[in-house]
Amino acid sequence: YSTTKLMTKLTFFKVFLIVLWNFLGLYGFSTTYNVSNSTALKNALSSATAGDVILLASGTYTTAATTASFPTGDGGTVNRSFLFRGINNGTASNKITLKSANASNPAILSGSGATSSGYVLYITGDHWVIEDIKIKSGVKGLILDNSNNSIIRGVEIFDIGQEGLHVRDGSSNTLIDNVNLHDIGTINDGFGEGIYVGSDNSVWWEGNGSTTGENGRYFRRAANNSTIKNSTLGPNITAEPFVIKE
């Protein structure tokens, strides 16, 4: 058997495997996580990758807050607490989706009260879709940090101690559509913004620690190209309904 023919067959087989792999990735071979309890939700949020869908059964999901360390612009770290966190990146054509299985009876992600510790839902990956859920009873509602090209649609956020929905720390190209925020800032009216895009210059990652970033270099300045539409803010939002910062 000639070496040339053998090499030709091996090359053909290699090309076949590459094509098959791409086909499996493009056509419906993602994972759907059917979730009905908080432990399964946390596992799905940490495991989901591009194209995956997390379907939440109707009901209330709550858990103890988790604290993790995140880098700051001055080479240090800062601790942030959250109940539920989406970590991995989707892609433009295969986003990661978190949604209720029954949009008419949406799942509720809940803290233990507006004075409790932690963001209720914390998204730190790109290309997420958060759809048809309710978020309630935490110190902060939904936070996007370094999450680009994500979509928030059909979400209700309420009974939140400080800001309801915050897009910050390098999160750009966010679509916020048909959200309903009310009863926001129930424990701290100075920080009770409805939808907050960007960060104050006193906490810029790129700050000089004196005139900018003087309170800590925590969040990247960029939070560009957000679209907010078809949404209802109020009643009982104790600070600005919308804030777009430097």
Side-chain angles (χ1 to χ4, degrees):
Y1 200 82
S2 73
T3 301
T4 301
K5 289 184 178 181
L6 178 62
M7 292 302 295
T8 300
K9 286 184 175 291
L10 288 175
T11 300
F12 175 81
F13 184 65
K14 183 177 180 180
V15 171
F16 171 77
L17 289 178
I18 292 171
V19 171
L20 178 63
W21 181 260
N22 289 333
F23 177 85
L24 293 176
L26 288 173
Y27 295 99
F29 288 87
S30 56
T31 300
T32 297
Y33 297 87
N34 291 290
V35 169
S36 59
N37 62 70
S38 297
T39 298
L41 173 56
K42 292 176 73 173
N43 290 339
L45 285 168
S46 63
S47 300
T49 56
D52 290 351
V53 177
I54 304 169
L55 284 179
L56 295 172
S58 300
T60 300
Y61 298 78
T62 190
T63 187
T66 298
T67 300
S69 294
F70 297 85
T72 59
D74 57 5
T77 59
V78 61
N79 288 335
R80 295 177 187 146
S81 297
F82 48 86
L83 279 70
F84 300 102
R85 180 186 174 198
I87 298 172
N88 296 319
N89 294 328
T91 67
S93 58
N94 289 285
K95 292 183 180 291
I96 301 171
T97 300
L98 171 67
K99 64 184 296 185
S100 291
N102 182 358
S104 63
N105 186 17
I108 302 168
L109 275 57
S110 178
S112 57
T115 61
S116 60
S117 175
Y119 316 153
V120 179
L121 179 59
Y122 190 30
I123 303 298
T124 56
D126 294 337
H127 293 286
W128 278 73
V129 178
I130 312 299
E131 188 170 23
D132 297 330
I133 64 172
K134 296 184 178 185
I135 296 171
K136 67 183 286 279
S137 300
V139 66
K140 299 179 188 286
L142 171 56
I143 306 295
L144 274 64
D145 277 348
N146 197 27
S147 176
N148 293 287
N149 303 292
S150 291
I151 298 170
I152 314 300
R153 181 188 293 122
V155 173
E156 181 180 2
I157 303 174
F158 59 100
D159 186 27
I160 300 298
Q162 296 180 359
E163 67 261 40
L165 169 55
H166 199 161
V167 179
R168 66 185 191 189
D169 195 23
S171 299
S172 293
N173 305 308
T174 305
L175 172 61
I176 299 170
D177 184 13
N178 190 30
V179 302
N180 179 5
L181 292 99
H182 57 91
D183 300 289
I184 305 295
T186 60
I187 63 166
N188 192 327
D189 57 9
F191 295 91
E193 301 89 352
I195 298 176
Y196 191 155
V197 178
S199 297
D200 187 82
N201 65 11
S202 67
V203 291
W204 283 350
W205 176 291
E206 301 87 350
N208 58 26
S210 177
T211 58
T212 57
E214 67 270 22
N215 292 334
R217 296 165 62 184
Y218 299 135
F219 306 113
R220 295 166 184 84
R221 179 180 180 180
N224 302 320
N225 304 319
S226 291
T227 300
I228 303 168
K229 63 180 185 178
N230 306 321
S231 296
T232 302
L233 283 80
N236 304 321
I237 295 177
T238 59
E240 302 92 334
F242 292 100
V243 175
I244 300 176
K245 280 290 178 74
E246 306 90 357

